[in-house]
Amino acid sequence: MKPYAELTSFLDQQSEPYILFDGDYRILAANAAYRMLFSPEQSVVGRKCYEVSHRYTTPCDQNGETCPLARARASGQRERVLHLHHTPRGEDYVQIELTPLRDAAGTLQLYAEKMEPLRQSYRAASPNGPELIGRSPAFSAMLALVARVGPSMATVLLLGESGTGKELVARAVHEASPRAARPLVAVDCSSLPETLFESELFGHERGAFTGAHAARAGLVEAASGGTLFLDEVGDIPLSMQVKLLRLLETGTYRRVGSTELRRADIRVVSATHRDLTAMVADGRFREDLYFRLSTFPIRLPPLRERLEDIALLAPALLQRVAPERKLELAPAALTLLQSQPWPGNVRELRNLLERAALLCDGSVIEASHVAQALSVNQPIHPAASRLPAATADADADRAAAGPEATINTLPLPELELEVLRQRLARHRGSRAALAAELGISERTLYRRLRALEARAAGR
């Protein structure tokens, strides 16, 4: 009988992808589901797990990832992590569950690893791919929490700035749950006046108030069997918070104008950009409601904390804002995007890329197009308009150059020089003509040319 024949036979009966490997990361067996998903054209037995999954030449923890084998060795218990794995479809996020197996003497000898690809709505990105996009450590850590809490019934509170994608994360939580086939109903709490909040949420009976000509079900009933997403929950009027608390504590509610007690079959996910703990301290948000909502809080990282994800986000966003065009970003344009503070986060990035696409006549968005698109935001983004003192003289030239200037909108000198280098490579006329083309004075142009020479000499 082949070694580990019984274990191999067990793995082959499982519908999820499984492998069996030893303490040296060497794969001893792989079931059909694993071979189909990760290596349909090549045998994996005898190869290292990190080689097959990640294309690494060394273990995961030597490449900036969490290694479940290392964690299992330390804890002696089952471990779960979220990884990006290579598949025939590209990189996918995969939930890994590793179980250490002991011999008769209690020594760790083998490891069984189950992989569960996450749903498409939060896979790793491609331009035509899902909505939630990223592979930075901050994004992956957030996604790992989503994958962990999704299958449960825990109440989730999403905390993040405006534009970070809270509704998309709420959908990801819903789709990872057993309720995925039922509705996800979003409630924009910031747009509901106090007089209508209770009726919209719980429904009303005919004649309950002026204008209630017929009975109407509320959003809680619309979400029956699924998920109720309370967006901007920090904007719920204090007088209405007690009614929401009763729903969460008892699972029951009454329509406006009715004495009939109804039972809600919902899972609640809420989100806010506000500091609820400060609101609790100020008496503007009920402490008991806060604790009910925040059973499992998840912080969504702002874009400035995952700037490396812009390289993935930008192509996908360009595909959405200009689907009829095949637009690409020049390297300098990407560098410029990655230098911004992005107070509006991904929503702001999308809007800026749409402007840049409209300013670009070709198929490549240059740094000058991005710079021109950024200039619209400078009056309302103080952080982006604070330039180093070295560029103060150039500001006066820029102010006189008029609306046709493009290079003058770059917020960082290094990026101005990058655009200048590109223009110099293409320009065949005089320096005066180049200055006019850039919308700056010759004095400013020569100052930048000297800076460009000094930067090149410094390398």
Side-chain angles (χ1 to χ4, degrees):
M1 179 179 288
K2 293 181 179 180
Y4 318 117
E6 296 88 349
L7 280 173
T8 302
S9 175
F10 170 77
L11 297 186
D12 280 336
Q13 304 302 313
Q14 308 306 307
S15 59
E16 302 93 345
Y18 265 97
I19 56 172
L20 181 71
F21 58 98
D22 61 21
D24 292 325
Y25 307 94
R26 185 168 55 95
I27 298 175
L28 306 175
N31 69 356
Y34 181 93
R35 295 192 301 270
M36 181 181 301
L37 185 60
F38 296 107
S39 189
E41 298 178 358
Q42 186 179 1
S43 173
V44 299
V45 174
R47 298 165 64 191
K48 304 287 188 177
C49 60
Y50 51 77
E51 173 198 346
V52 176
S53 299
H54 300 286
R55 315 284 171 81
Y56 293 156
T57 57
T58 53
C60 303
D61 53 356
Q62 297 178 31
N63 291 277
E65 298 215 43
T66 301
C67 176
L69 173 58
R71 288 179 55 169
R73 278 175 171 161
S75 68
Q77 300 177 5
R78 183 178 62 179
E79 295 288 346
R80 285 202 296 167
V81 299
L82 188 72
H83 274 186
L84 269 174
H85 279 198
H86 284 276
T87 75
R89 298 181 300 178
E91 283 191 312
D92 275 358
Y93 277 104
V94 176
Q95 180 92 330
I96 297 172
E97 183 179 292
L98 184 141
T99 304
L101 305 176
R102 301 178 183 274
D103 61 16
T107 304
L108 287 177
Q109 293 287 347
L110 303 175
Y111 302 86
E113 190 172 82
K114 180 179 74 171
M115 288 76 164
E116 183 179 355
L118 301 189
R119 292 179 181 270
Q120 188 183 19
S121 63
Y122 47 114
R123 286 172 48 206
S126 66
N128 297 314
E131 297 291 334
L132 276 176
I133 293 170
R135 59 172 301 158
S136 64
F139 179 87
S140 297
M142 179 271 294
L143 202 57
L145 294 176
V146 171
R148 187 170 287 270
V149 75
S152 75
M153 274 294 292
T155 302
V156 178
L157 175 62
L158 305 177
L159 303 167
E161 298 174 7
S162 178
T164 50
K166 294 187 286 293
E167 186 164 356
L168 296 177
V169 176
R171 182 168 295 279
V173 172
H174 171 70
E175 291 187 352
S177 75
R179 296 172 169 258
R182 302 294 295 168
L184 169 68
V185 175
V187 183
D188 184 0
C189 300
S190 62
S191 68
L192 288 177
E194 184 172 351
T195 54
L196 292 180
F197 185 87
E198 186 177 7
S199 173
E200 286 292 311
L201 200 63
F202 302 129
H204 61 258
E205 297 295 344
R206 180 182 178 184
F209 49 83
T210 303
H213 301 300
R216 181 174 176 270
L219 296 175
V220 170
E221 288 179 69
S224 182
T227 301
L228 184 70
F229 173 49
L230 300 173
D231 197 11
E232 296 304 344
V233 72
D235 291 339
I236 296 178
L238 193 60
S239 61
M240 292 294 106
Q241 292 176 19
V242 66
K243 299 181 183 297
L244 177 58
L245 177 64
R246 187 179 301 118
L247 172 70
L248 294 174
E249 286 187 332
T250 67
T252 61
Y253 66 98
R254 290 184 177 89
R255 287 182 178 181
V256 177
S258 172
T259 58
E260 179 187 354
L261 197 65
R262 296 172 179 264
R263 182 160 295 278
D265 178 19
I266 56 171
R267 191 234 189 122
V268 174
V269 176
S270 57
T272 184
H273 72 283
R274 300 186 183 279
D275 184 349
L276 292 187
T277 56
M279 292 180 68
V280 168
D282 293 342
R284 291 178 291 134
F285 200 86
R286 293 182 63 101
E287 184 179 45
D288 45 8
L289 177 58
Y290 169 72
F291 287 124
R292 279 287 179 179
L293 292 172
S294 61
T295 301
F296 198 92
I298 300 177
R299 177 181 176 271
L300 278 62
L303 188 55
R304 63 182 173 275
E305 292 182 8
R306 57 185 193 105
L307 292 172
E308 59 265 54
D309 286 339
I310 292 178
L312 296 173
L313 286 162
L317 293 172
L318 284 171
Q319 177 65 28
R320 292 170 201 163
V321 301
E324 72 286 353
R325 303 169 65 187
K326 294 186 177 180
L327 292 172
E328 298 179 2
L329 277 178
L334 176 60
T335 301
L336 178 52
L337 290 173
Q338 290 175 329
S339 74
Q340 302 305 307
W342 300 117
N345 295 293
V346 179
R347 183 183 296 121
E348 182 187 3
L349 174 63
R350 182 194 185 282
N351 292 344
L352 184 132
L353 287 171
E354 186 168 7
R355 288 200 300 274
L358 291 170
L359 294 166
C360 174
D361 294 322
S363 60
V364 178
I365 294 178
E366 302 285 355
S368 57
H369 300 125
V370 173
Q372 191 174 358
L374 279 167
S375 66
V376 178
N377 284 352
Q378 280 192 327
I380 61 171
H381 289 174
S385 62
R386 287 195 293 268
L387 306 186
T391 64
D393 291 340
D395 288 344
D397 297 323
R398 288 201 274 265
E404 297 301 318
T406 55
I407 195 172
N408 58 343
T409 60
L410 287 171
L412 293 177
E414 293 81 0
L415 294 163
E416 292 182 352
L417 297 179
E418 185 63 40
V419 175
L420 180 58
R421 182 183 291 106
Q422 292 181 7
R423 292 294 186 88
L424 277 172
R426 297 196 299 263
H427 188 73
R428 296 294 180 267
S430 66
R431 291 292 185 259
L434 178 59
E437 177 185 337
L438 295 173
I440 59 177
S441 69
E442 288 186 59
R443 182 168 64 91
T444 298
L445 174 61
Y446 280 104
R447 182 164 55 247
R448 292 179 182 175
L449 289 174
R450 287 196 298 272
L452 189 62
E453 292 172 0
R455 183 180 177 188
R459 290 178 177 175

